[in-house]
Structure formats: structure tokens, C-alpha cells
């Protein structure tokens, strides 16, 4: 009886228990938490959050863990129960079983190794290979998603890593959050929140279209001490100090804008 119970348990462990719906639900929980931490709008691109923070979506973490567990099974004694159940699954595969899913994941991650080759590698070496491949695959997936999203399709990323402006622990958190919103184009200005306004005319001059650059250059918002007019494009370049400078300038100008609105 105990052998039967253990066999059932192992068979279940070797079955793919995560449906696409389950994985998406887990990712949505992650994305909701990120939105709270960053205090960003609900309509902020999830792809953007992952790329800015250098985080891989949960689906790729699940791939990683399953492929690593595959190696664990392959390195067990051939007479062990877990290896026997795996062998039976390999010889008589079912839809969405562990073996089929692992083969699918190995292909998606571009890991061109046979089961024998995977078994012969040290745990450290195989984990290193899988971790690197997962990061590359996640980055390619996110970049493909980015290319179909108008607000972020032109932002350039070299790899999946936490961006410099988010690394500075001494930086004002409000400035960091503002830069994040500016880069995702979710600031409270007319061309970025079209659904909140009846027109796109600049609140300051009542002439030009209210874009990020207009906020920075509108004569009604210009401080006498400003040496030069900054441009919105600085949010998408380097170094991070330029982002901080333009963010602080724009935050000051948006306060003036809000005062104008409040005063009617």
C-alpha cells in the first residue's frame, strides 16, 4: 500500500500541474505587488515593469525549476522509485506530462543537451547553464512583447538587469517613482492620459499640445534661474544623473501647472 501511495505521489509530481491560466494568475499577483511598490498606474505596461527592474516573469522561473528537477531525476539510481516512474512516463508519455513539458522547455531555452549529457553534468554547472539560458529567453520574450506596445516600443534595453536610476539607494524615492512613470509615459499630462482630459492643449500657454517637452519648455513654467531647457528624451538616456535632473525640474513645473488648474 505504501509503495502504491508513493508511486501516485511521484506520478503527480512528474505531471505538469501548472496550466497557462495558473501561471498567468501567479504573474498577475507579482505584477500587482510591483505596481504597489512602484506606486504606478494600473495601466502601466507589465512588460515595462519587468524590463526596468530586470525581473524574469514567473513562467520562466517555473521552466528553470522543472528543468533542474529533471536533472535531479536523471542523476538518481536507476532502481530508485522516482527514476522508475520517470522511465515509465518516458516510455508511455501522456499529454502535458513532465517529460513532454521538460523537452518543450529545453527547446524553448535553447538547451541542446541530451538526457545523458544533462545527467553527466555537475549540479552547479547545469544550474549555471539553465540560469543563463532562462535570462536570455526571458529577455527575448519581453523585448518581443515590448515591440507591440506603443508607449514603450522605442525604449532601448541591452539586457535584463535593474536599471541604474533604480540602483541609487540615496536617491529620493519620489524622484525614482517619477522617472519610472515618465519612462512608461503614464504621467498626469494631457497627451499621456488622454482619457482624463477634454483636449490636449497646454495648461500653461493654452496654445501648444501638452507633451512632456512642452511641460519642460512652456514659458509660463520656466524658472528665471534655469540655465537651459531640458528635453524629455533625457529620461531615456544615460547617465542616471540626467534623469534625476530632468525629473526634479519637471516635478517643479507640474506643481506650477497644478496651481494654475486649482486656481481655475
Amino acid at each position: 500500500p505504501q509503495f502504491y501511495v508513493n508511486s501516485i505521489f511521484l506520478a503527480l509530481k512528474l505531471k505538469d500541474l501548472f496550466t497557462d491560466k495558473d501561471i498567468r494568475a501567479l504573474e498577475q499577483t507579482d505584477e500587482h505587488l510591483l505596481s504597489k511598490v512602484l506606486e504606478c498606474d494600473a495601466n502601466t505596461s507589465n512588460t515595462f515593469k519587468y524590463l526596468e527592474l530586470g525581473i524574469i516573469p514567473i513562467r520562466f522561473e517555473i521552466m528553470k525549476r522543472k528543468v533542474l528537477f529533471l536533472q535531479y531525476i536523471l542523476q538518481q539510481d536507476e532502481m530508485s522509485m522516482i527514476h522508475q516512474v520517470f522511465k515509465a512516463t518516458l516510455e508511455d508519455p501522456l499529454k502535458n506530462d513532465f517529460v513532454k513539458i521538460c523537452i518543450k522547455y529545453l527547446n524553448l531555452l535553447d538547451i541542446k543537451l541530451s538526457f545523458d549529457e544533462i545527467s553527466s553534468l555537475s549540479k552547479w554547472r547545469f544550474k549555471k547553464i539553465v540560469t543563463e539560458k532562462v535570462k536570455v529567453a526571458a529577455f527575448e520574450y519581453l523585448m518581443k512583447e515590448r515591440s507591440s506596445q506603443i508607449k514603450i516600443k522605442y525604449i532601448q534595453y541591452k539586457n535584463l538587469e535593474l536599471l541604474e536610476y533604480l540602483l541609487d539607494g540615496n536617491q529620493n524615492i519620489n524622484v525614482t517613482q517619477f522617472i519610472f512613470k515618465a519612462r512608461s509615459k503614464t504621467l498626469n499630462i494631457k497627451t499621456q492620459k488622454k482619457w482624463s482630459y477634454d483636449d490636449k492643449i497646454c495648461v500653461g500657454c493654452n496654445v501648444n499640445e501638452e507633451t512632456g517637452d512642452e511641460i519642460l519648455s512652456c514659458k509660463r513654467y520656466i524658472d528665471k534661474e534655469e540655465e537651459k531647457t531640458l528635453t524629455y528624451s533625457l529620461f531615456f538616456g544615460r547617465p542616471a544623473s540626467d534623469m534625476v535632473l530632468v525629473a526634479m525640474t519637471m516635478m517643479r513645473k507640474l506643481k506650477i501647472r497644478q496651481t494654475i488648474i486649482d486656481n481655475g
Side-chain angles (χ1 to χ4, degrees):
Q2 186 61 45
F3 176 83
Y4 176 76
V5 171
N6 288 341
S7 296
I8 293 294
F9 172 76
L10 288 170
L12 285 171
K13 192 166 181 63
L14 292 177
K15 184 173 175 60
D16 185 48
L17 299 179
F18 284 107
T19 65
D20 289 343
K21 187 176 180 180
D22 294 330
I23 293 171
R24 186 65 200 120
L26 288 171
E27 287 182 341
Q28 286 175 331
T29 301
D30 244 15
E31 290 155 5
H32 179 68
L33 177 60
L34 289 176
S35 294
K36 281 201 162 188
V37 170
L38 294 162
E39 293 188 7
C40 57
D41 294 347
N43 65 322
T44 302
S45 163
N46 291 317
T47 300
F48 177 76
K49 295 172 194 171
Y50 290 123
L51 287 168
E52 294 285 291
L53 296 169
I55 297 174
I56 66 170
I58 280 180
R59 68 186 66 196
F60 290 96
E61 185 61 35
I62 290 172
M63 287 185 199
K64 176 182 174 180
R65 290 175 182 270
K66 282 188 177 291
V67 171
L68 291 177
F69 185 61
L70 169 66
Q71 188 198 38
Y72 170 79
I73 295 172
L74 293 171
Q75 291 181 336
Q76 298 303 299
D77 187 285
E78 290 189 3
M79 297 307 294
S80 67
M81 186 186 301
I82 193 168
H83 197 92
Q84 289 296 314
V85 173
F86 173 77
K87 186 177 178 181
T89 307
L90 188 61
E91 292 172 353
D92 186 20
L94 298 172
K95 182 180 179 182
N96 292 329
D97 67 24
F98 181 79
V99 177
K100 279 190 173 182
I101 291 297
C102 280
I103 291 172
K104 175 186 174 182
Y105 287 168
L106 288 170
N107 289 330
L108 284 171
L109 297 174
D110 194 32
I111 299 175
K112 296 181 173 63
L113 295 171
S114 67
F115 284 174
D116 287 338
E117 288 171 325
I118 291 172
S119 178
S120 67
L121 290 172
S122 69
K123 288 182 175 63
W124 177 86
R125 176 62 181 155
F126 187 59
K127 185 175 182 179
K128 186 173 185 294
I129 291 171
V130 174
T131 300
E132 290 173 353
K133 290 288 190 178
V134 162
K135 195 168 184 179
V136 169
F139 181 62
E140 290 176 350
Y141 165 79
L142 291 169
M143 290 299 281
K144 185 177 179 180
E145 291 289 303
R146 179 213 61 154
S147 66
S148 63
Q149 298 180 30
I150 295 173
K151 286 191 174 184
I152 65 169
K153 66 187 297 184
Y154 298 111
I155 302 178
Q156 298 301 310
Y157 299 93
K158 292 183 178 179
N159 47 41
L160 197 57
E161 63 181 4
L162 184 66
L163 294 191
E164 185 184 357
Y165 78 91
L166 293 163
L167 282 170
D168 189 351
N170 296 318
Q171 190 172 291
N172 186 314
I173 187 65
N174 293 326
V175 173
T176 300
Q177 290 171 341
F178 188 90
I179 294 172
F180 185 89
K181 290 180 180 180
R183 284 173 60 83
S184 62
K185 294 187 178 179
T186 54
L187 293 173
N188 187 21
I189 60 178
K190 292 185 178 181
T191 53
Q192 293 186 17
K193 287 196 172 180
K194 299 174 184 177
W195 59 90
S196 298
Y197 298 95
D198 295 328
D199 60 66
K200 298 179 185 178
I201 304 302
C202 173
V203 170
C205 65
N206 283 316
V207 176
N208 301 320
E209 186 175 66
E210 189 175 80
T211 63
D213 278 320
E214 173 61 18
I215 296 294
L216 288 164
S217 63
C218 179
K219 292 181 179 179
R220 195 164 181 186
Y221 305 143
I222 290 179
D223 191 316
K224 293 179 181 179
E225 296 180 3
E226 286 183 28
E227 295 181 3
K228 63 177 181 178
T229 300
L230 301 173
T231 63
Y232 199 83
S233 62
L234 290 172
F235 282 119
F236 306 103
R238 290 172 186 261
S241 57
D242 284 349
M243 295 187 197
V244 173
L245 177 61
V246 70
M248 293 179 72
T249 301
M250 197 165 183
M251 288 168 75
R252 187 171 66 250
K253 291 174 182 288
L254 286 174
K255 284 183 180 179
I256 298 172
R257 173 186 181 272
Q258 189 58 49
T259 300
I260 294 171
I261 292 174
D262 293 343
N263 292 336

